Amino acid sequence: MAVMAPWAVSNDPGDVDVEDARMAIEALMMPGTNRVNTHSGFRPGPGGANAGLVVANAPANGYVGVSAFQRFQQTGRSSSGGAYIQTAIGTTQVQILDIPADPSNPRNDLIVLQQNDRFYGDGDNLTRIRRVAGTPAPSPADPAVTGSTDYLILARVRVRAGAASILSTDITDLRPAGLYTVGLGGVLPVASKAARDTYAAYDGMTVWRGDRSWLEVYSESSPTGWMVQGTAVLANTADVATAGITPYNGQLVLFTSDFTLRRYDSGAAQWRRVGVQQIFAHRNAAAVTYADATAPTGTEVDVYTAPSIAVQPSWLYRVVARQSIVSLAGNSQEAELLVKDGATYVGRSETVPILVSAHWGRGVVDAIYATGGAQTTLALKMRIAWLSGPGLSSVSARSDSTRPQMLEVYDLGRPASVLV
């Protein structure tokens, strides 16, 4: 393609034609599918996504209204044709029922925004908002749009059989998901991931995600993708893919499923909790006898089995357990509380002395536990063990309102490698 005339060099006639002028203005707009065109779209402004919206009148009549807009239309009829600037001030009324409704069958009419240009053989140079009438049928089809191929279908109007007016329920919005275009470097409003993905992304492109209320910036370097600026609010890790964003090392996210703040570790491809956060808590203050531990020495008895607890590999956790122990028979008993992860000991309490029958002691485990390199769950059990005492004595795990059974797990927000 030849180099086009620059904007603007002199008053000599013939240097700058209309295509040169449109291309020069287009240089101020965000790129489209390449560096020298723009994305056809409405100019954002007050009123949300109402630009070019087709609505029924109130009270309903035989017309529809097209909301005010300013729009850039990239021509598809020339690679050097540039973009037209189309403007409609106020609501444009389009008559529908000047062609009366068929008494028996519905029809589909289309509301079209069309750009004419005599340079390409059209009858005039006007921007037109027009109705393209369909043919009544039991299951009507949309009519073909004739004339200039530089057009946008705004809406379908279903003209009901025998209709005397057009209702809101008769109108289907057909404006594209990629609704807007903005100036070069501007923030582009998009309604959703699907709308964002209709655009040709470029390095540094910035969008405002209306469905997520956050800013995203596109990166062509590693990692490539859309990156949230600031702290993203997501439901859970699966919602990261649903939102269509690329996490980067150090990215902060608040997960609303468990209200935890997490930081992305790109090396491990893990969302790490930030700071110390409780991830599991069990408390039972009911008056319960859980289990008896009897001779011989060292017999262990389960008193509580926790549900599976999700954890991260090679990570540090604090496990805290509290259990009251009472002697059921005999004096001078000794017992201990233990916590296990499957068959692995997490920690054990100091020896709990119970000097007199029916008196209570308290076992406490407070341990730092490092998960294995491939471990993703904890299978915790609280146990008591009878250590010593006269004869065939026994001890029992008990709880009540003042001495509850408790098990808590805290994520320490640190890798196991820091443990020395």
Side-chain angles (χ1 to χ4, degrees):
M1 181 63 196
V3 177
M4 303 186 70
W7 182 272
V9 291
S10 74
N11 294 327
D12 291 341
D15 283 347
V16 178
D17 63 21
V18 292
E19 287 191 332
D20 295 326
R22 288 197 298 267
M23 288 292 287
I25 293 173
E26 191 172 71
L28 303 176
M29 303 305 298
M30 65 175 287
T33 55
N34 58 55
R35 292 186 180 91
V36 294
N37 68 10
T38 191
H39 179 91
S40 294
F42 293 98
R43 176 186 176 189
N50 292 333
L53 181 67
V54 178
V55 296
N57 288 315
N61 55 25
Y63 290 75
V64 295
V66 180
S67 301
F69 62 84
Q70 190 165 73
R71 184 173 182 272
F72 291 81
Q73 170 66 54
Q74 174 68 46
T75 182
R77 296 192 276 187
S78 170
S79 60
S80 59
Y84 301 93
I85 302 175
Q86 305 165 318
T87 304
I89 300 172
T91 300
T92 303
Q93 293 293 317
V94 180
Q95 192 171 13
I96 302 296
L97 294 182
D98 57 331
I99 301 176
D102 186 84
S104 303
N105 292 313
R107 76 170 191 261
N108 288 349
D109 288 1
L110 296 178
I111 307 301
V112 176
L113 171 61
Q114 192 167 41
Q115 181 62 52
N116 288 345
D117 192 333
R118 286 196 182 99
F119 184 82
Y120 300 117
D122 301 328
D124 56 45
N125 292 324
L126 299 179
T127 298
R128 296 183 180 275
I129 300 173
R130 69 186 187 97
R131 181 271 314 276
V132 181
T135 302
S139 298
D142 290 345
V145 180
T146 58
S148 168
T149 56
D150 287 333
Y151 67 83
L152 174 69
I153 299 175
L154 299 175
R156 177 188 301 114
V157 179
R158 174 63 66 93
V159 182
R160 292 164 285 112
S165 62
I166 303 300
L167 307 177
S168 295
T169 51
D170 299 327
I171 301 172
T172 301
D173 184 11
L174 296 180
R175 296 172 304 158
L179 189 62
Y180 294 116
T181 194
V182 294
L184 188 64
V187 177
L188 177 70
V190 295
S192 63
K193 173 184 179 295
R196 183 201 69 191
D197 291 346
T198 63
Y199 292 84
Y202 56 90
D203 202 30
M205 181 177 176
T206 304
V207 302
W208 170 256
R209 283 283 296 273
D211 59 333
R212 298 281 180 167
S213 296
W214 65 43
L215 284 174
E216 294 176 5
V217 177
Y218 188 77
S219 171
E220 293 182 354
S221 57
S222 182
T224 301
W226 289 99
M227 300 181 181
V228 176
Q229 303 305 292
T231 302
V233 180
L234 295 160
N236 46 41
T237 54
D239 199 23
V240 177
T242 302
I245 60 173
T246 301
Y248 53 88
N249 196 42
Q251 168 79 58
L252 289 177
V253 167
L254 176 65
F255 288 132
T256 57
S257 57
D258 57 6
F259 293 98
T260 58
L261 183 66
R262 305 205 189 193
R263 174 184 55 81
Y264 189 68
D265 179 350
S266 60
Q270 293 281 340
W271 288 99
R272 308 294 197 185
R273 290 180 176 86
V274 177
V276 178
Q277 298 184 41
Q278 187 183 73
I279 64 169
F280 178 79
H282 161 77
R283 183 177 185 273
N284 192 345
V288 175
T289 298
Y290 295 98
D292 296 337
T294 60
T297 298
T299 300
E300 297 179 7
V301 178
D302 292 340
V303 296
Y304 174 69
T305 300
S308 179
I309 303 168
V311 293
Q312 299 183 55
S314 303
W315 207 246
L316 289 183
Y317 295 86
R318 180 186 178 196
V319 179
V320 180
R322 298 176 179 86
Q323 177 67 66
S324 294
I325 304 173
V326 64
S327 170
L328 297 182
N331 302 327
S332 301
Q333 305 292 315
E334 289 185 336
E336 67 178 355
L337 173 66
L338 311 104
V339 177
K340 280 187 168 183
D341 175 24
T344 303
Y345 282 100
V346 174
R348 58 202 314 155
S349 71
E350 300 291 335
T351 299
V352 180
I354 308 171
L355 301 180
V356 180
S357 177
H359 281 204
W360 297 60
R362 183 76 158 165
V364 177
V365 173
D366 193 339
I368 304 298
Y369 186 61
T371 54
Q375 187 173 358
T376 58
T377 60
L378 292 177
L380 297 183
K381 289 185 177 182
M382 294 172 59
R383 318 189 86 189
I384 59 170
W386 181 85
L387 298 182
S388 66
L392 295 176
S393 302
S394 65
V395 293
S396 179
R398 294 272 185 99
S399 69
D400 63 18
S401 59
T402 61
R403 290 164 287 198
Q405 178 191 72
M406 297 177 65
L407 178 63
E408 299 168 317
V409 181
Y410 296 87
D411 185 330
L412 296 181
R414 302 288 287 168
S417 58
V418 305
L419 192 63
V420 294

